[in-house]
Amino acid sequence: MLVFKFPSVTSTQDLSEAIYTMINADKFVVVAEEQTKARGRYKREWYSPKGGLWFTYVIKGFNPERIPFTTLTVSLAIREVVGKYVDAYIRWPNDIVTRNGKVGGILVEGIVEGSKATVFIGAGIDTNVDSFPQGVKATSMKLETGKLMDNDELLKDVIARIDYYLFLEDDKVIEGINKYLSIKNRTVKLLGKDWERQCKALFVDFMGRLVTECGIFEVEEVLRVEEL
């Protein structure tokens, strides 16, 4: 596996999307010690200082129809790795959280070319981050455990688990998501482009949608989920 490491980039996602046609490999990873303009879903800023694990895993020849579901698949894979060290859960659809806050996030994007696509699996894991800006409800694996994480070893483990989960049956993925769903049977605030709802979250259905007491929501229509 090709791994490209950089001390600082604006965004591993943006860099990967800029260079993927130049890399003669079906898979590669771009890793940065820090990101200065990292982004999450809908271009929200992502605090990415030195200490954390920031990367994009690029896979060519991907089935375009699988891209939307891949967010859930990767969330489950990363939760498993993080869960070896801390009590980790999934906040639908793409956040890895502990009881003390967010510890990781996933951003999956794709570029479709004919019948195939290149998928860009971006992830940020707060491994050795010591502090966060005021107003950011987040934590790190170091703050949770009091121990330094080996980012290189963690990356190898994460990539291996992503590769495994990408071939797992959809029903097994959904079963895992519901098992570790942080918002299950909890009141949440759902925010869309020009709307918001407050209701109890129930479970994630076989299509990856969030089922709540006030309706069923697609990943694409919800900008953010807040636990109340």
Side-chain angles (χ1 to χ4, degrees):
M1 175 73 68
L2 280 174
V3 179
F4 299 95
K5 294 184 177 181
F6 298 89
S8 181
V9 300
T10 53
S11 159
T12 61
Q13 200 81 344
D14 289 344
L15 178 57
S16 298
E17 292 174 6
I19 68 172
Y20 81 99
T21 58
M22 307 175 195
I23 307 300
N24 188 24
D26 293 332
K27 298 179 179 181
F28 66 91
V29 182
V30 172
V31 188
E33 291 181 20
E34 69 172 350
Q35 299 178 105
T36 58
K37 292 183 179 179
R39 56 186 173 84
R41 294 178 70 228
Y42 303 101
K43 300 189 183 299
R44 289 196 297 272
E45 291 184 3
W46 177 258
Y47 181 60
S48 308
K50 288 187 176 181
L53 176 57
W54 325 116
F55 72 90
T56 296
Y57 180 24
V58 182
I59 305 175
K60 300 178 182 179
F62 206 80
N63 181 352
E65 296 179 359
R66 300 295 302 167
I67 293 174
F69 199 82
T70 300
T71 294
L72 296 176
T73 302
V74 173
S75 295
L76 190 60
I78 292 180
R79 191 230 65 87
E80 180 184 315
V81 176
V82 174
K84 295 178 181 179
Y85 306 90
V86 300
D87 196 15
Y89 299 85
I90 297 167
R91 183 170 61 206
W92 182 91
N94 69 320
D95 289 338
I96 310 302
V97 299
T98 71
R99 298 301 184 191
N100 297 314
K102 183 174 175 178
V103 74
I106 293 95
L107 174 63
V108 176
E109 297 176 313
I111 296 177
V112 179
E113 297 164 312
S115 61
K116 295 294 183 179
T118 298
V119 68
F120 303 87
I121 300 171
I125 305 175
D126 295 321
T127 49
N128 299 315
V129 179
D130 290 316
S131 62
F132 296 87
Q134 187 174 4
V136 176
K137 188 181 180 183
T139 186
S140 72
M141 296 172 72
K142 180 183 177 183
L143 292 175
E144 294 285 309
T145 66
K147 299 177 181 179
L148 278 172
M149 299 293 124
D150 186 325
N151 281 344
D152 290 337
E153 289 302 314
L154 202 72
L155 177 64
K156 291 178 184 177
D157 200 1
V158 166
I159 297 300
R161 298 320 290 163
I162 290 174
D163 284 344
Y164 170 79
Y165 276 101
L166 284 175
F167 288 96
L168 197 64
E169 297 87 349
D170 289 358
D171 61 334
K172 296 295 185 182
V173 172
I174 295 301
E175 180 182 332
I177 293 290
N178 281 307
K179 180 179 180 180
Y180 294 105
L181 189 64
S182 69
I183 58 175
K184 188 174 184 178
N185 296 320
R186 296 187 63 178
T187 300
V188 297
K189 181 188 290 185
L190 304 170
L191 295 99
K193 187 176 181 180
D194 52 8
W195 59 268
E196 68 176 59
R197 298 270 186 91
Q198 184 173 312
C199 55
K200 182 186 286 188
L202 301 176
F203 60 91
V204 175
D205 72 7
F206 72 100
M207 295 179 65
R209 302 174 301 184
L210 182 65
V211 179
T212 74
E213 288 187 342
C214 57
I216 300 175
F217 298 89
E218 303 273 0
V219 172
E220 293 78 11
E221 64 182 320
V222 178
L223 301 181
R224 189 166 74 250
V225 178
E226 295 180 358
E227 299 181 46
L228 301 177

